[in-house]
Amino acid sequence: MPGWWAARPAPPGRQGRGRPRRSFERIIAAAADLVDEIGAEGFTMRLLAERLETSTATLYRHVSSKQELMVYVVDRLFAEYSPPGRAEGEPPQSWHEAAEAAAVEFNRVLSRHPNMLPLLISQVPVGPHGLQVREQTLDALVSRGLPLPIAARAYTAIAHYVIGFALQLYAPGAPGSEEAAALGDYYRRLDPGAFPLTLAAAADLTTVSIDDEFLEGLRFILDGVGQANRS
Amino acid sequence: MPGWWAARPAPPGRQGRGRPRRSFERIIAAAADLVDEIGAEGFTMRLLAERLETSTATLYRHVSSKQELMVYVVDRLFAEYSPPGRAEGEPPQSWHEAAEAAAVEFNRVLSRHPNMLPLLISQVPVGPHGLQVREQTLDALVSRGLPLPIAARAYTAIAHYVIGFALQLYAPGAPGSEEAAALGDYYRRLDPGAFPLTLAAAADLTTVSIDDEFLEGLRFILDGVGQANRS
DNA sequence: ACCTGAACACCGTTCAAGT
DNA sequence: ACCTGAACACCGTTCAAGT
């Protein structure tokens, strides 16, 4: 499992004088596509080599390991994040609205790459794009009046929440539309006497959409941040 | 990656008439110990067979796959959770205090099993013990006056937060004491002009302990829940 | 200098063959 | 009936040998 500190300002590989750099990016891009298509689980250096019409030994001349490759694959997620723009004629947003919009956009990016989510574990994204997103978001909050110490803590809490939510909802292995039925069966088979509240809550939770559930939890955090800001 | 719905009320294996059941539990216990010792990454059916002085083929007569085995290994985490007891002569807790105590206890359990954390991805713990913990916690909140719909959403948000926090802090691959230095180096190498807020926040964040950081984020959520409860 | 076939040391899982 | 050695179909990674 790769750690965040493993990422380095200058990407690796014996980058000669420009050409190898290009190969490195071609490899990362192809690897990202492959993970999207077949999942992090099924991703194989042999498959990647095949798709690039080369050999695995050649891949290892540009990246030092599969782990390192995955660090850069994850960073491409953050390249897709587009900071929620303040719309033209609209009134200036509060930090609260800006934070919510950022979280929703981050969630949207993650939901589009379910197969990549397992790679986010124990890997705070600190690749070039990951850092840029954090800096942009901190700036959005601070410029709207939220003090930096609180903004930094809010960013951490929100990032944890969004990633955790996405992992359990979108990641391969999470219940899809068909598996939801199996889950229903599972709950119905539970002894209602033993888990009355769990069952009652499950019945209630199915009445709200997943998006709403995401927003409700998010607002818990944002309201708490607001309280910290006032006190 | 195993899904939660995959867990079943009745554990698997051709459980004959009592004896095989015992074997099943011996296997799960040994597997859990092995994961704790060498990590989920290094865990191997061959290693487990060796430790139990049997063969892999025999293991497969009691569990249907490595994935299923891991589902039950994870559930053992929840068997360790001891619901924070209301102390003897003390005044009755609020739901707020109860929720915080539960989250802290859950975090404590997770922090003691860093090697098991990667197994929690895309696996909402729905094994027997996992369900019991949820039911107990919901009961603790509801009995202290928090309405069930809010309690259920709070439980989900808190669980996501605690697991996300633990994954990024305790999971193998997270920066230990030595790697923290490497991380410092990494940040120092960043262009301060490009990431001024990230750098300023990092300097500030190092002044609070990890436990405090955990509690601060947690209180964001709990304060938000309180606000939802009042409105 | 750059590339690669083939190997090395592993996996999870299965099955024919033993007791 | 219960167990298992040995195999099957893979991995990530390396290296001698080619161009």
Side-chain angles (χ1 to χ4, degrees):
Chain A
M1 216 61 60
W4 38 330
W5 69 91
R8 332 161 197 171
R14 305 285 121 260
Q15 66 207 70
R17 279 153 315 277
R19 272 311 90 186
R21 192 65 236 274
R22 193 83 212 98
S23 303
F24 178 79
E25 271 154 23
R26 240 172 51 88
I27 289 173
I28 304 297
D33 289 346
L34 200 49
V35 169
D36 270 335
E37 289 171 33
I38 67 173
E41 194 90 350
F43 176 90
T44 275
M45 295 301 271
R46 280 172 176 81
L47 278 177
L48 179 60
E50 193 178 335
R51 171 160 301 194
L52 288 168
E53 291 180 314
T54 180
S55 71
T56 57
T58 300
L59 293 179
Y60 280 93
R61 296 196 355 97
H62 295 97
V63 300
S64 70
S65 70
K66 183 185 174 185
Q67 272 189 19
E68 185 193 66
L69 190 51
M70 290 305 148
V71 169
Y72 287 94
V73 166
V74 165
D75 194 55
R76 282 175 67 88
L77 273 180
F78 290 83
E80 275 185 46
Y81 175 94
S82 60
R86 46 257 166 260
E88 273 308 321
E90 290 185 14
Q93 280 178 319
S94 63
W95 64 259
H96 196 291
E97 289 165 321
E100 184 172 309
V104 167
E105 162 66 8
F106 187 28
N107 181 254
R108 197 181 58 85
V109 170
L110 296 185
S111 71
R112 279 193 301 190
H113 297 276
N115 282 336
M116 236 171 245
L117 296 178
L119 299 176
L120 279 170
I121 315 140
S122 77
Q123 192 181 322
V124 169
V126 80
H129 295 106
L131 282 176
Q132 201 182 326
V133 168
R134 179 160 65 180
E135 182 71 17
Q136 282 174 348
T137 307
L138 287 178
D139 187 62
L141 299 181
V142 169
S143 70
R144 288 174 177 87
L146 197 65
L148 181 57
I150 293 181
R153 285 162 177 78
Y155 185 86
T156 302
I158 292 170
H160 282 157
Y161 173 76
V162 176
I163 291 175
F165 198 93
L167 272 172
Q168 305 209 335
L169 269 176
Y170 309 128
S177 48
E178 28 148 352
E179 285 94 352
L183 180 69
D185 285 350
Y186 176 74
Y187 276 122
R188 266 185 287 282
R189 233 176 291 131
L190 287 179
D191 179 5
F195 302 102
L197 297 174
T198 297
L199 286 169
D204 174 72
L205 277 177
T206 55
T207 64
V208 325
S209 77
I210 285 178
D211 284 345
D212 286 344
E213 201 184 337
F214 172 76
L215 285 174
E216 285 179 17
L218 180 60
R219 278 173 192 142
F220 286 166
I221 299 177
L222 294 177
D223 288 345
V225 172
Q227 201 149 313
N229 188 32
R230 282 188 301 276
S231 65
Chain B
M1 215 63 58
W4 38 331
W5 70 90
R8 333 162 196 169
R14 307 282 124 260
Q15 66 208 68
R17 279 152 315 277
R19 273 309 91 184
R21 192 65 235 273
R22 194 84 211 97
S23 302
F24 178 79
E25 271 154 24
R26 240 172 52 89
I27 289 173
I28 304 297
D33 289 347
L34 200 49
V35 170
D36 271 335
E37 289 170 33
I38 66 172
E41 195 89 351
F43 176 90
T44 274
M45 295 300 272
R46 281 172 175 81
L47 278 177
L48 179 59
E50 192 179 334
R51 170 160 302 195
L52 287 168
E53 292 180 314
T54 180
S55 71
T56 57
T58 299
L59 294 179
Y60 279 93
R61 296 197 353 97
H62 295 97
V63 301
S64 70
S65 71
K66 183 186 174 186
Q67 273 189 18
E68 185 193 66
L69 190 51
M70 289 305 149
V71 169
Y72 287 95
V73 165
V74 165
D75 194 54
R76 282 176 67 89
L77 273 181
F78 291 83
E80 275 185 47
Y81 176 93
S82 58
R86 46 257 168 262
E88 272 310 320
E90 290 185 15
Q93 280 178 321
S94 63
W95 64 260
H96 196 290
E97 289 165 322
E100 184 172 309
V104 167
E105 162 67 7
F106 188 29
N107 180 253
R108 199 180 57 84
V109 170
L110 295 185
S111 71
R112 280 193 301 191
H113 297 276
N115 281 337
M116 234 170 247
L117 296 178
L119 299 176
L120 279 171
I121 314 141
S122 78
Q123 192 181 323
V124 168
V126 80
H129 295 105
L131 282 176
Q132 201 183 327
V133 168
R134 179 160 65 179
E135 183 70 19
Q136 282 173 349
T137 307
L138 287 178
D139 186 62
L141 299 182
V142 169
S143 70
R144 286 174 178 88
L146 198 65
L148 181 57
I150 293 181
R153 285 162 178 77
Y155 185 85
T156 302
I158 293 169
H160 282 156
Y161 174 75
V162 177
I163 290 175
F165 198 94
L167 273 172
Q168 304 210 337
L169 269 176
Y170 308 129
S177 48
E178 28 149 353
E179 285 95 353
L183 180 68
D185 284 352
Y186 176 74
Y187 276 122
R188 265 185 289 281
R189 234 177 291 130
L190 287 178
D191 178 5
F195 302 102
L197 297 173
T198 296
L199 286 168
D204 175 72
L205 277 177
T206 55
T207 64
V208 325
S209 78
I210 285 178
D211 285 343
D212 286 344
E213 201 184 337
F214 172 76
L215 285 175
E216 285 178 18
L218 180 60
R219 278 173 194 142
F220 286 166
I221 300 177
L222 293 177
D223 289 347
V225 172
Q227 200 149 313
N229 188 33
R230 281 189 300 276
S231 65

